[in-house]
Amino acid sequence: MDLGTVAVIGGGIIGSLVARQIIHRHPAGTVLLLDRDSVGCGASRRSAGLHFPRGASERVRRMSGYSQEFYEKLKADRPTSPIYPVGMSVVSQAGQGDLERIYTEPVRRDDSPIALDACGAEVRVPPHLSVWDVKGAQYADVHRLVQTLVTDLRPRVGVREGVRVTALDPGGPGVGISLSTGERLTVDRVVLAPGPWLNAPAWADLVAPIGARIKKIVALHIDRPADETDRALVFHDEDAFLLPLAYRGHWLFSYTCQDWDVDPDQVDADLVAHDVERARACLSRYAPSLALRCTSGRVFCDAYSVSGQPLVRRLDPDGRVVFAGAANGSGYRLAPAIAAEAVQLLGTSVKGSV
C-alpha cells in the first residue's frame, strides 16, 4: 500500500522509530519528522532508558520481546549505539508463578535475604522477600540514541526541528498541518507521537477520546560510582528500580510518583522537597545509606493509558491520523513495537480512506 506523504509529529524515541519503520517498510513514501524542540529533547532526554523483558499482559510481553530483538540487532549492526547490557535482579514477595507471568524466565537465588552485589553491597533484602535474576536487560542514553537514529534518517526523511504544529485538520482531501513558521502543509497521513503533550491545542480534541493522562516522573541520582559490572535492581512490589548508569558514572533510583494530570509545559525541571522525601522513604526500606546519597535527579512527565498498555489508535474516521504513545513510563522499552504497530495500522485501509 502506498502511504504517500506521512508526517510524524514528535521526534522522541517513538516518533524517530516510526519514521524509521516507514522508510523501511514503504521505501517509496515520503516522510516528514516534526518536533517542537530538537529531536530527543522531550521525555526521551530525561528517560532512564531501562529495558527488560516484562509485561503484565500478553500484548505487552509480546511487545517487550519484539523490542528486545530490535535493540539487540541495532546494537549488533551498529556497535557504537549507546545501548548497554546490564545484569538485573528482581526483589519481590511474589511467588514464582506470579513472576513468570510478568518476567521472562526469572531464576530464584538461593542466598536471599542477602546483601546484594549492588552499590557496594549496601542493598539488603528483608527476610520475607526473594531475589530473582532476569536475563536480557539493557539501558540506553535515549537522548543520544534518538539523535543517532535521526542522523541516519536525514538523507531520506525531512526533519523539522524547533517547529510547532499549531493546527491539525484531517477533515479535507488530505490532512492539513499548520506550523508555527506560518507554513501550511497537506499530507496523506499523520502519526502523532506527542509524548506527554497530549493536550496541545492542535490535537487536544482528537486525542481526548482515548482517555490518556499525564503523570509526573521523578528519578534521583545517587552519588556513588557505577561501572559495567554492577547489576540493576527492580523492586517489583514498589514499581521502583536502581540502575547503574555506567556511562554517566553514577546510580539512578526511579520510584513511582503519584502526581497526575500535570502540564509538561508547567512541570519544573528541578527537584522539590517532597519528591526527594518520597523517593528516600522508598529506597530506605532497602538501602538507608544510599537514600542519604540521593543528592540530585531529573524531573519530567509522561503519558499513561487507563489500561496500562500503550495506545496505538486511529483518531479520525478515515484512519489517516494514528496516535502512538501513552506507554506508561515504558516509552524506550516498548518503542520499537509501538512503532511497528503504528506503521502497520497506518498501512491498513478503512472505509472512506484515501
Side-chain angles (χ1 to χ4, degrees):
M1 181 177 181
D2 182 7
L3 297 183
T5 299
V6 182
V8 181
I9 301 175
I13 185 63
I14 294 175
S16 63
L17 288 179
V18 168
R20 188 179 189 274
Q21 286 270 2
I22 294 172
I23 64 172
H24 278 75
R25 294 190 182 188
H26 304 275
T30 300
V31 181
L32 179 63
L33 181 63
L34 299 160
D35 197 275
R36 51 182 278 152
D37 200 339
S38 297
V39 294
C41 283
S44 293
R45 184 165 193 165
R46 296 162 177 84
S47 171
L50 176 62
H51 168 86
F52 49 98
R54 165 178 167 168
S57 70
E58 178 58 34
R59 175 180 173 237
V60 176
R61 285 191 292 274
R62 185 174 64 250
M63 295 177 81
S64 180
Y66 178 97
S67 297
Q68 182 165 340
E69 291 181 8
F70 175 91
Y71 285 129
E72 287 175 353
K73 186 176 186 305
L74 180 64
K75 181 68 172 179
D77 292 344
R78 192 184 183 112
T80 57
S81 298
I83 298 172
Y84 311 102
V86 66
M88 193 182 82
S89 299
V90 176
V91 178
S92 178
Q93 64 180 347
Q96 182 170 356
D98 291 334
L99 291 177
E100 285 180 342
R101 284 188 285 271
I102 298 174
Y103 300 89
T104 301
E105 299 180 354
V107 177
R108 181 170 179 171
R109 289 193 180 187
D110 295 328
D111 54 350
S112 58
I114 56 172
L116 289 173
D117 51 342
C119 284
E122 292 185 52
V123 179
R124 299 200 63 86
V125 180
H128 65 287
L129 302 181
S130 299
V131 180
W132 305 76
D133 288 345
V134 176
K135 296 180 180 179
Q138 48 97 337
Y139 67 98
D141 179 345
V142 184
H143 175 228
R144 191 154 64 91
L145 179 60
V146 171
Q147 292 181 320
T148 299
L149 291 168
V150 174
T151 297
D152 291 343
L153 291 175
R154 285 183 185 274
R156 299 178 60 187
V157 173
V159 179
R160 301 279 193 95
E161 297 175 285
V163 177
R164 186 188 301 267
V165 174
T166 58
L168 183 62
D169 179 13
V175 182
I177 301 175
S178 299
L179 304 178
S180 58
T181 58
E183 296 174 82
R184 169 81 178 180
L185 307 176
T186 301
V187 300
D188 297 293
R189 289 170 172 79
V190 168
V191 177
L192 182 60
W197 283 278
L198 300 177
N199 299 318
W203 52 74
D205 291 342
L206 282 171
V207 171
I210 69 177
R213 300 174 66 187
I214 307 166
K215 187 168 78 72
K216 186 177 178 181
I217 305 292
V218 180
L220 269 62
H221 297 169
I222 300 174
D223 183 21
R224 186 173 185 97
D227 62 39
E228 294 82 358
T229 64
D230 289 314
R231 299 179 66 82
L233 299 179
V234 174
F235 304 108
H236 175 82
D237 305 333
E238 285 84 2
D239 194 18
F241 60 83
L242 269 172
L243 177 63
L245 296 179
Y247 76 94
R248 288 178 57 99
H250 67 84
W251 286 73
L252 177 145
F253 178 65
S254 175
Y255 79 104
T256 300
C257 177
Q258 293 295 345
D259 293 350
W260 287 91
D261 302 318
V262 297
D263 182 342
D265 289 323
Q266 300 298 321
V267 171
D268 291 332
D270 53 313
L271 294 167
V272 295
H274 70 269
D275 292 332
V276 178
E277 290 166 2
R278 288 185 293 193
R280 284 178 171 170
C282 181
L283 184 56
S284 290
R285 300 176 197 138
Y286 301 95
S289 62
L290 293 182
L292 296 176
R293 302 185 74 156
C294 293
T295 56
S296 60
R298 59 186 72 177
V299 179
F300 202 54
C301 49
D302 206 355
Y304 283 67
S305 68
V306 175
S307 67
Q309 300 187 43
L311 297 178
V312 181
R313 304 278 179 84
R314 296 186 177 100
L315 297 182
D316 67 309
D318 291 335
R320 291 181 295 188
V321 180
V322 169
F323 178 88
N328 309 290
S330 297
Y332 168 72
R333 190 168 70 87
L334 302 178
I338 293 170
E341 286 192 4
V343 176
Q344 182 177 6
L345 189 61
L346 199 69
T348 305
S349 62
V350 297
K351 184 177 180 180
S353 63
V354 294

